[in-house]
Amino acid sequence: MGRDFSTIGHALSVPTRSAMIDVLMDGTARPAGELAAVARVSAATASEHLAILVAAGLLRGKRAGRQRLYSILDQRTAEALESLGQLCVEVPISSLVQSRTKHDLADARMCYDHVAGRLGVELFDASVRLRWFDSEAHLTARGERALSELGVAVPAARAQRRPLTRTCPDWTQRRPHLAGALGAALTAQLLERRWITRRSTGRGLIITADGLNAIQRTWGIDLTAD
């Protein structure tokens, strides 16, 4: 039997719902009111759109006190949406803020719970060159030692039910970055060490000065070069 894409297609067919999906791709859970503001619609309209996204299996809603928080259903769904982004047209840029945001997202961003953008792609490419992973993203013994020395919880990642490693097609770089339980664990360590920090809004990431030096020292990547 074939697959019926119509339900997903309908759910993603409205720019308002696309905007909500995009802001939740950083792995956070947000209330309907915040998502309404992002999409520039009323609270009642936002609730209608969110109900469609939940019914399509793209989002989940969870009660938290008096609020209901919405998030991407799971990491598998987030990775599928990131891959789908390669087929989508870009939102037209009509302001300096939008241009800056586009540049920031292409440089470094969260893709649900792991790093994407130029940073994610270059970290994966360098890790393959260092033989931490093979070309299909399988972790090597050398890679396990190196990541453990960085404080990445490899055994805990291996114990999860999700795949340990997998590649995720990057819609801005058109090359893969590292996903799976280990991609998430590495990202958590980068955040803990404050080599990267989250931007105040959206899913963009900032590479700190300490991070630039540490990443160059560890992976041999000069992220200041064009």
Side-chain angles (χ1 to χ4, degrees):
M1 297 292 291
R3 297 295 182 97
D4 183 358
F5 293 90
S6 61
T7 299
I8 301 298
H10 169 68
L12 297 174
S13 65
V14 178
T16 295
R17 297 198 282 271
S18 178
M20 292 175 171
I21 286 282
D22 188 63
V23 76
L24 291 172
M25 283 291 288
D26 64 352
T28 57
R30 300 172 187 250
E34 184 176 337
L35 294 171
V38 167
R40 299 182 180 181
V41 296
S42 68
T45 299
S47 294
E48 293 174 2
H49 287 301
L50 288 166
I52 291 171
L53 291 169
V54 169
L58 296 173
L59 299 187
R60 61 180 173 182
K62 183 178 180 180
R63 181 67 62 184
R66 295 184 178 181
Q67 294 189 109
R68 180 171 289 276
L69 302 180
Y70 293 88
S71 61
I72 301 294
L73 181 65
D74 54 26
Q75 56 87 24
R76 179 171 170 268
T77 303
E79 290 170 12
L81 289 166
E82 179 80 4
S83 298
L84 183 61
Q86 296 187 92
L87 302 178
C88 300
V89 298
E90 294 188 11
V91 176
I93 301 299
S94 59
S95 70
L96 182 60
V97 171
Q98 288 179 325
S99 178
R100 182 72 251 177
T101 299
K102 176 183 176 181
H103 181 271
D104 291 342
L105 289 177
D107 270 353
R109 66 182 182 278
M110 292 296 292
C111 175
Y112 191 62
D113 60 3
H114 56 270
V115 172
R118 179 190 173 199
L119 174 60
V121 165
E122 294 212 15
L123 284 176
F124 178 59
D125 285 352
S127 296
V128 172
R129 288 196 300 271
L130 292 168
R131 293 186 288 169
W132 294 5
F133 302 95
D134 65 20
S135 60
E136 296 182 350
H138 297 132
L139 180 65
T140 65
R142 180 195 293 255
E144 182 160 358
R145 288 193 299 271
L147 291 172
S148 297
E149 288 172 2
L150 287 174
V152 178
V154 178
R158 185 174 277 116
Q160 295 183 33
R161 297 180 63 180
R162 64 195 285 192
L164 178 65
T165 60
R166 60 180 294 174
T167 57
C168 182
D170 196 294
W171 63 268
T172 57
Q173 306 301 311
R174 308 294 176 174
R175 289 149 56 202
H177 56 253
L178 182 68
L182 197 55
L186 173 59
T187 299
Q189 187 63 12
L190 295 177
L191 287 165
E192 183 176 330
R193 287 174 175 256
R194 296 192 63 78
W195 291 358
I196 58 174
T197 59
R198 292 177 182 267
R199 293 188 179 274
S200 57
T201 60
R203 57 179 175 133
L205 294 168
I206 297 170
I207 308 169
T208 66
D210 286 345
L212 286 171
N213 292 330
I215 288 169
Q216 183 167 18
R217 184 173 63 251
T218 305
W219 281 274
I221 305 169
D222 182 5
L223 292 170
T224 63
D226 293 330

